[in-house]
Amino acid sequence: MKDLKNIFGLFFLLAFMILPQIASAEKTDWKDDGYNFRRVRTVVVFNLDNRANLSHVGRPIQMKLDSSYFDNSRKLKCQVLTEDQARRMLGMPNASRNELKRNLASIADAWIEGGITRWKDSSRVVPARTVWEERKRTRQIRDRWGNWIEETYYETVPVTYPPYTVYTSDIIANFEVYDAATGRAIFAREDNRSRDDKDAQKDMFGRMCNSFYEDLAKKIK
């Protein structure tokens, strides 16, 4: 039983040291309670706005972010158009985004804007630490008849674990939905996440998009 306790204790300590830990995950929503979301049948998803300036992460990661943003829009229970598709349908390939918005009501009921406003990497060093743990020991002793036998016993000893570095990934994304006829905001979300892991933002953003589109789909189904 003591061996089993030691094994489980060591397992949980290593898991704490190695496995990524979520530090925080917070979603803040707002919606227009008077808006009839069920009337939405066609939505335009505007290109992702990387307001956090992601030039340092590389083009492949930016492409992955764009894919997560658009691919998850398929969860909506309606027709989904990209910004480029909307431009072609309206014959406005070079129009500004604001001009495009003013004309969307003829082809769509709503539009979606999404952007990444924070992308931060940081780290901290967890110092070396010493903990007391039980260790199994054996020794040779004589039994009452004078025979040598092996005896098992346990002793508590100090065990020192070396320092290690914890990397933290932070990301904030915003999603906004607008009524195409009036240009009025009808739903908005800020998703703020932090995870003790290295370069984890792209995967966190995928989960953010999945959560946003799933929740919006429930409103317009």
Side-chain angles (χ1 to χ4, degrees), residues 116 118-119 170-173 191-193 201 204-205 208:
I116 297 173
R118 180 179 175 85
W119 183 294
D170 294 301
I171 183 172
I172 298 177
D191 199 333
N192 184 347
R193 303 194 184 200
Q201 290 95 338
M204 286 193 287
F205 183 69
M208 288 173 163

Side-chain angles (χ1 to χ4, degrees), residues 3 38 46 55 99 115 126 133 154 180 196 201 215:
D3 283 341
R38 299 197 176 199
F46 277 92
S55 58
E99 185 179 357
V126 178
E133 298 180 359
Y154 295 88
D196 283 349
Q201 290 95 338
D215 291 347

Side-chain angles (χ1 to χ4, degrees), residues 112-131:
I112 296 172
E113 298 180 44
I116 297 173
T117 58
R118 180 179 175 85
W119 183 294
K120 180 182 178 183
D121 299 297
S122 59
S123 65
R124 67 184 186 276
V125 176
V126 178
R129 65 224 171 280
T130 299
V131 295

Side-chain angles (χ1 to χ4, degrees), residues 85-169:
Q85 289 173 325
R87 288 181 179 278
R88 288 196 297 269
M89 292 175 66
L90 292 172
M92 304 176 66
N94 300 316
S96 67
R97 183 173 283 189
N98 286 336
E99 185 179 357
L100 185 63
K101 292 174 184 178
R102 289 193 290 269
N103 290 272
L104 282 184
S106 62
I107 62 170
D109 302 301
W111 78 75
I112 296 172
E113 298 180 44
I116 297 173
T117 58
R118 180 179 175 85
W119 183 294
K120 180 182 178 183
D121 299 297
S122 59
S123 65
R124 67 184 186 276
V125 176
V126 178
R129 65 224 171 280
T130 299
V131 295
W132 289 87
E133 298 180 359
E134 281 191 330
R135 289 290 186 265
K136 182 180 179 181
R137 300 284 189 260
T138 60
R139 59 190 172 192
Q140 297 293 320
I141 63 172
R142 289 184 182 275
D143 63 15
R144 60 181 176 175
W145 295 284
N147 300 315
W148 288 101
I149 61 172
E150 185 175 85
E151 179 188 62
T152 298
Y153 68 100
Y154 295 88
E155 65 177 354
T156 302
V157 298
V159 179
T160 300
Y161 290 93
Y164 63 96
T165 301
V166 176
Y167 295 92
T168 301
S169 300

